[in-house]
Amino acid sequence: MAARIISGTEIAAQIREELKKETAELKEKSGVVPGLVTILVGKNPASVSYVTAKQKAAHELGFYSIQDDQPDDISEESLLQLVYRYNNDSKIHGILVQLPIPKHIDEKKILNAIDPDKDVDCFHPINVGRLMIGGDEARFLPCTPAGIQELIVRAGFETSGAEVVVVGRSNIVGKPIANIMLQKGRGANSTVTVVHTGTKDLESHCKRADILIVAAGVPHLVKPEWIKPGACVIDVGVNRVGEKISEKTGKPVPILKGDVDFDAAKEIAGAITPVPGGVGPMTITMLMKNTVKSAKISAGIK
Ligand code: GUN
């Protein structure tokens, strides 16, 4: 039987409706409006489109939002000063510096300068540590991993006791999603295995997975025969493999391929996310969720 398609687009739209209400209630009760600044250095086309989508979402939810564009020759010191300025701006509850940033700037230095209480990306070492401890300690969850967990839960999969296999060990996806799924509590409590480029037999690990999360950045790495029948497959890969002309706009758009061979895998999996329209829309939604949370904390509301 063909797998159920887990639509990130639909689930993200539901969550955004919830957040819109929360934002309006927060404003009514406390006068606080969630504030988000996205800082973009240079004009990398992919970054421009991500940041535009983040701003559009913030605007639609009724946030106070700022798009701060900086030239690609900005000095490290000037970028640090900009971050400090937003750290001290009480109208701003979330600060996001879009990555990558130019090579002449130390990325770590910039990310570590963001006030951890406004670090809605959850990239600051303090927040990474809080995530590792788990429970109430974790103020924000990193956006893509949080979106993945939400997709699994809303798709109705039992995570407690499930074998979760994560393919990839990046700081943005692999390590944090492994951490989230092994915590005690709702939507987690799983037995987690992380496989990576040093793993001897990827296939045998993937075959055991009740929930398979693939974030390797390799188009069609996971073959259909690696998937356990009925498994939940979350494909985080967004690989640009060429360009085509959009029927809608007549302009060139990237051709995207996931890390999983979707057409073949959907005949075996129980449920699977498409690329695009799976994890992607959830990442931005979780950024909005973190910003609302940060605003609520600053208003003294839990
Ligand atoms: N570049 C690609 N993904 C992300 C993200 O989630 N956050 C930031 N800050 N930059 C990115």
Side-chain angles (χ1 to χ4, degrees), residues 17 55 59 103 242 245:
E17 274 310 307
Q55 280 297 321
H59 182 75
K103 294 269 178 287
I245 300 298

Side-chain angles (χ1 to χ4, degrees), residues 60-77:
E60 284 169 2
L61 296 185
F63 288 10
Y64 166 66
S65 64
I66 300 175
Q67 170 53 36
D68 194 327
D69 290 320
Q70 295 294 328
D72 60 8
D73 62 353
I74 186 175
S75 69
E76 185 176 279
E77 185 52 34

Side-chain angles (χ1 to χ4, degrees), residues 15-28:
I15 299 172
R16 286 188 199 188
E17 274 310 307
E18 295 162 14
L19 289 173
K20 203 170 175 177
K21 282 195 197 120
E22 249 182 90
T23 301
E25 274 171 25
L26 178 65
K27 191 174 172 184
E28 202 181 297

Side-chain angles (χ1 to χ4, degrees), residues 47 50 54 96-100 111 121 123 143-144 172 283:
S47 295
Y50 287 137
K54 287 166 189 174
L96 179 139
V97 178
Q98 185 67 26
L99 303 178
L111 296 180
D121 253 334
F123 288 168
C143 303
T144 301
I172 293 190
T283 298

Side-chain angles (χ1 to χ4, degrees), residues 188-252:
N189 206 31
S190 309
T191 302
V192 181
T193 306
V194 181
V195 298
H196 45 76
T197 47
T199 299
K200 285 201 181 109
D201 184 357
L202 277 182
E203 180 175 349
S204 69
H205 289 287
C206 291
K207 274 181 168 162
R208 280 191 296 104
D210 301 313
I211 298 169
L212 180 63
I213 301 167
V214 193
V218 180
H220 290 192
L221 171 74
V222 171
K223 310 295 173 233
E225 61 274 21
W226 296 14
I227 295 168
K228 181 171 168 179
C232 173
V233 178
I234 306 289
D235 187 353
V236 192
V238 186
N239 305 291
R240 292 175 180 233
V241 293
E243 271 191 353
K244 61 179 180 186
I245 300 298
S246 159
E247 281 177 18
K248 250 196 212 162
T249 63
K251 288 186 183 159

Side-chain angles (χ1 to χ4, degrees), residues 73-116:
D73 62 353
I74 186 175
S75 69
E76 185 176 279
E77 185 52 34
S78 301
L79 190 55
L80 277 174
Q81 291 305 326
L82 190 66
V83 168
Y84 296 145
R85 210 179 81 207
Y86 289 119
N87 281 348
N88 292 318
D89 183 339
S90 60
K91 288 209 298 245
I92 293 294
H93 306 100
I95 301 171
L96 179 139
V97 178
Q98 185 67 26
L99 303 178
I101 49 180
K103 294 269 178 287
H104 68 276
I105 300 173
D106 183 346
E107 180 181 298
K108 249 195 228 163
K109 229 180 191 176
I110 302 299
L111 296 180
N112 293 359
I114 296 173
D115 178 346

